[in-house]
Amino acid sequence: MWYGVLCGLAAGAFWGMIFVMPRWLAEFSPMELALGRYLAYGLMTLLLLLPRLNGLLRRVTRAECAVLLRHALAGNIVYYLLLSTGVQLAGVAAASLIIGLLPLSVTLLGRRDHGALPLRQLAWPLTLVAAGIVCINVDVFTHAQGAAQPWTKVALGMLCAFGALLCWTWYAVDNARFLKRNLHFSGAEWSGLYGLSTGLVALALGAVVMAVGGDGAAGRDWWRFWSVVTIVALGASVIGNQLWNLASRRVPVTLSGQLLLFETLFGLLYGFLCQHQMPRPLELLAIVLLIAGVAGSVWKHQPGVQAPPA
């Protein structure tokens, strides 16, 4: 189990980059960020899989193609489109900590899966996580009022982040269930197929966007754009998704939900570094509570710790 926990932590470290990319490339729209990132992801995956691509594609059934399509949309393109909008409207901290609700949402959605602990045994770790989320939301709206930001802008950004949360919750549970049922694909193979499908969907959407009339390249640094999205695609998509697939096969769904919190924590860390500021008191308290909640959940999932059934 500990190998799966470490893989989940490392995946979170890579995924944290996605929260600061919309700030690095603020002159580009969320649609451009999502399509650029996933076009780069698909191309890198194609190059990595090229030597064994034909044999791998022959093993994919029509039903598995449907799974790849829905995962590409929910887990990648629609998710990141909503998240990028949330970051640009409400800020890195607000969006990343709405996504911090993933431990609660994934645990609730996966509570009936094999190996999942009853929610009563996870009561105090989940309570700590919920307390951390409350702290950060109080801080976000208090800070927004102090900075004279329109509350409607912040609220719309947080609504988009909540939509991203729903997308990733469903994807995380559905992907974990699929990997546990289908052992004929390794984590690396499924991650590669996932990257190819995402790249194809991004290519199709990009063609539609260009057909209806994009705003062109005038006045914007497209060299910087492609450099940043390629780095993020390599780290967060190619490496991060493969690490997450390894983790998904080795830990119960209720624990994988808790491990998703590392994405939020690393996103906060990178955001603070990018903005050259220290966390405010409520932000710091939220981080401590979230870490304690995840650590408690990991401890609860160790063999011999669970309480015997009544």
Side-chain angles (χ1 to χ4, degrees), residues 48-69:
L48 289 171
L49 288 180
L50 206 53
R52 51 199 174 99
L53 185 59
N54 287 336
L56 185 58
L57 291 178
R58 282 197 295 266
R59 294 162 50 197
V60 181
T61 66
R62 184 173 299 179
E64 289 163 349
C65 286
V67 173
L68 287 167
L69 177 61

Side-chain angles (χ1 to χ4, degrees), residues 5-260:
V5 171
L6 290 175
C7 287
L9 187 153
F14 283 107
W15 283 340
M17 294 189 295
I18 68 175
F19 293 102
V20 291
M21 189 174 84
R23 284 301 177 98
W24 289 337
L25 300 172
E27 68 272 26
F28 295 92
S29 71
M31 177 65 77
E32 290 168 332
L33 295 177
L35 295 182
R37 173 188 169 188
Y38 293 120
L39 282 171
Y41 177 30
L43 180 58
M44 282 187 281
T45 305
L46 176 63
L47 294 175
L48 289 171
L49 288 180
L50 206 53
R52 51 199 174 99
L53 185 59
N54 287 336
L56 185 58
L57 291 178
R58 282 197 295 266
R59 294 162 50 197
V60 181
T61 66
R62 184 173 299 179
E64 289 163 349
C65 286
V67 173
L68 287 167
L69 177 61
R70 69 181 189 238
H71 285 183
L73 288 169
N76 273 340
I77 293 174
V78 176
Y79 163 73
Y80 198 62
L81 179 62
L82 290 169
L83 179 60
S84 298
T85 305
V87 168
Q88 291 188 345
L89 293 178
V92 175
S96 61
L97 282 152
I98 287 293
I99 301 302
L101 287 167
L102 277 169
L104 294 173
S105 58
V106 172
T107 297
L108 291 172
L109 189 59
R111 67 190 183 278
R112 299 187 185 278
D113 285 45
H114 176 70
L117 292 181
L119 290 182
R120 66 178 182 275
Q121 293 188 31
L122 295 173
W124 71 263
L126 292 177
T127 299
L128 293 175
V129 170
I133 297 300
V134 169
C135 287
I136 198 60
N137 279 278
V138 170
D139 179 83
V140 164
F141 278 104
T142 302
H143 184 67
Q145 292 175 358
Q149 286 181 275
W151 71 267
T152 52
K153 177 182 176 182
V154 176
L156 180 59
M158 295 188 78
L159 185 62
C160 288
F162 184 73
L165 168 72
L166 295 179
C167 286
W168 228 96
T169 298
W170 177 84
Y171 160 73
V173 175
D174 195 65
N175 183 59
R177 289 170 176 169
F178 177 86
L179 288 171
K180 286 180 170 67
R181 291 194 308 264
N182 298 272
L183 299 177
H184 54 286
F185 289 112
S186 68
E189 288 173 336
W190 187 249
S191 180
L193 292 169
Y194 179 48
L196 284 177
S197 63
T198 301
L200 289 172
V201 173
L203 184 62
L205 289 176
V208 171
V209 170
M210 291 184 66
V212 299
D215 53 5
R220 294 187 292 175
D221 189 347
W222 285 88
W223 172 255
R224 181 168 174 266
F225 171 84
W226 285 110
S227 299
V228 172
V229 298
T230 299
I231 291 170
V232 173
L234 176 62
S237 297
V238 176
I239 300 174
N241 287 349
Q242 184 167 340
L243 287 167
W244 183 250
N245 284 338
L246 292 172
S248 294
R249 274 203 170 126
R250 287 167 171 81
V251 299
V253 172
T254 46
L255 178 55
S256 69
Q258 309 303 299
L259 296 180
L260 287 168

